[in-house]
Amino acid sequence: MYLHLGENKVVKKRDIIGIFDMDNTSTSHRTRDFLKKAEDNGQVIPCDGLPKSFLLTTEYGFHKVHLTELSSSTLEKRLR
């Protein structure tokens, strides 16, 4: 099964490690450092607008961070 992230992006449900809300998690310096390192390493898949959440996935043995304009609660509902 797949999870639609908007903007014609999909990820396999089995590849999802976690779904995180940007407002709640970006207050932590650890999360900001993690996202900065992921961006520096080319692991971030951006979205067109202002991201509301991000997903951490493992695709083909590599970690990827998908930014999305959808809220984490919307993504969780789509998983069900």
Side-chain angles (χ1 to χ4, degrees):
M1 300 296 297
Y2 293 90
L3 175 64
H4 184 259
L5 305 179
E7 299 176 4
N8 296 322
K9 295 181 194 174
V10 294
V11 295
K12 293 180 183 177
K13 288 183 180 181
R14 66 181 173 149
D15 292 341
I16 298 172
I17 296 171
I19 299 173
F20 305 93
D21 181 68
M22 286 295 256
D23 290 335
N24 292 331
T25 58
S26 62
T27 58
S28 168
H29 67 83
R30 290 181 180 177
T31 304
R32 288 193 306 268
D33 291 344
F34 169 77
L35 291 173
K36 176 70 174 138
K37 287 178 186 177
E39 186 175 14
D40 291 344
N41 292 331
Q43 297 172 316
V44 175
I45 311 297
C47 64
D48 291 335
L50 184 65
K52 291 183 181 176
S53 61
F54 67 94
L55 284 84
L56 179 60
T57 63
T58 300
E59 300 173 36
Y60 305 106
F62 297 99
H63 293 298
K64 295 286 184 185
V65 176
H66 295 267
L67 301 178
T68 179
E69 294 177 353
L70 300 176
S71 69
S72 57
S73 61
T74 299
L75 293 171
E76 288 179 36
K77 287 177 187 174
R78 289 183 177 188
L79 279 173
R80 296 184 198 153

